Amino acid sequence: MLNNFQPTFSTEYQIEVFAPPNKVWDWLSRVDLWASWRHDVSSAYWVKGSGEKGRLKWRLRNLIGFTADVAIWKREREMRWEAVSYGTRVIHDIRLDGNHRGTNVRLSVTGKGGLLRFFATRSIFSHQLNRSNEIWLGALKTKLEAGKDDSTSPPPSFSNPFKNNVSLPSELGKFDR
């Protein structure tokens, strides 16, 4: 799958999350929950199997859909998949390194072919990809560091994971004095 892959596009992201690797893994590996906490994902689900050799689909902002084959799935350490959209191959490689107090999350994304062959579309793709991955990692960090009971382990079902979060009063500007 990755043999002779010379990327046209390559970028890396890194973030420190103050949660142990197993908690970070719980949220990253639950593809079916991505849309509940990753606001740029409109849908995500497993098509075939789950984990290594599984196939998943996800859609960004109801615009671009990806189908990905998982190549590496090492619990609490690494996941890698290759996605294809409009003839463009994109490889996501996520690595976790940490201890009981914190986890360093490294995301590497490379792409080739399809729309990435052209400078203009590569520039647009690069911008959207950067924005999407920054949102993804920022949401992950926020979710795990929020200090709520529902932020330390995924909910057992498809229920709304944000239902116990603090909500603002509907009438802003009115304060008790």
Side-chain angles (χ1 to χ4, degrees), residues 24-93:
V24 174
W25 179 267
D26 284 345
W27 283 98
L28 288 175
S29 65
R30 293 286 306 272
V31 173
D32 54 321
L33 293 177
W34 284 0
S36 72
W37 61 271
R38 188 177 166 190
H39 304 295
D40 62 330
V41 172
S42 49
S43 67
Y45 55 94
W46 289 103
V47 176
K48 180 185 93 174
S50 63
E52 191 163 12
K53 298 185 181 175
R55 177 173 283 165
L56 61 111
K57 283 190 172 192
W58 79 96
R59 183 168 288 283
L60 294 176
R61 301 187 194 287
N62 286 324
L63 296 173
I64 300 173
F66 294 92
T67 300
D69 292 313
V70 178
I72 296 175
W73 192 266
K74 296 179 182 173
R75 183 161 176 72
E76 299 177 19
R77 292 193 359 224
E78 180 181 12
M79 62 178 75
R80 179 185 300 159
W81 63 82
E82 179 178 331
V84 178
S85 184
Y86 299 105
T88 303
R89 290 175 55 198
V90 181
I91 298 169
H92 289 77
D93 188 15

Side-chain angles (χ1 to χ4, degrees), residues 60-153:
L60 294 176
R61 301 187 194 287
N62 286 324
L63 296 173
I64 300 173
F66 294 92
T67 300
D69 292 313
V70 178
I72 296 175
W73 192 266
K74 296 179 182 173
R75 183 161 176 72
E76 299 177 19
R77 292 193 359 224
E78 180 181 12
M79 62 178 75
R80 179 185 300 159
W81 63 82
E82 179 178 331
V84 178
S85 184
Y86 299 105
T88 303
R89 290 175 55 198
V90 181
I91 298 169
H92 289 77
D93 188 15
I94 302 170
R95 295 174 188 247
L96 307 177
D97 183 36
N99 56 37
H100 67 282
R101 293 191 318 214
T103 304
N104 181 274
V105 180
R106 290 178 293 153
L107 169 61
S108 167
V109 182
T110 56
K112 178 180 182 176
L115 299 174
L116 292 179
R117 292 179 298 177
F118 309 104
F119 176 77
T121 52
R122 186 169 53 245
S123 176
I124 292 168
F125 177 83
S126 171
H127 175 74
Q128 291 302 318
L129 181 73
N130 281 333
R131 186 167 184 245
S132 176
N133 287 323
E134 288 169 358
I135 288 170
W136 186 14
L137 295 176
L140 177 68
K141 181 178 179 71
T142 301
K143 185 69 184 154
L144 286 163
E145 294 179 3
K148 296 286 182 193
D149 289 341
D150 66 345
S151 66
T152 56
S153 57

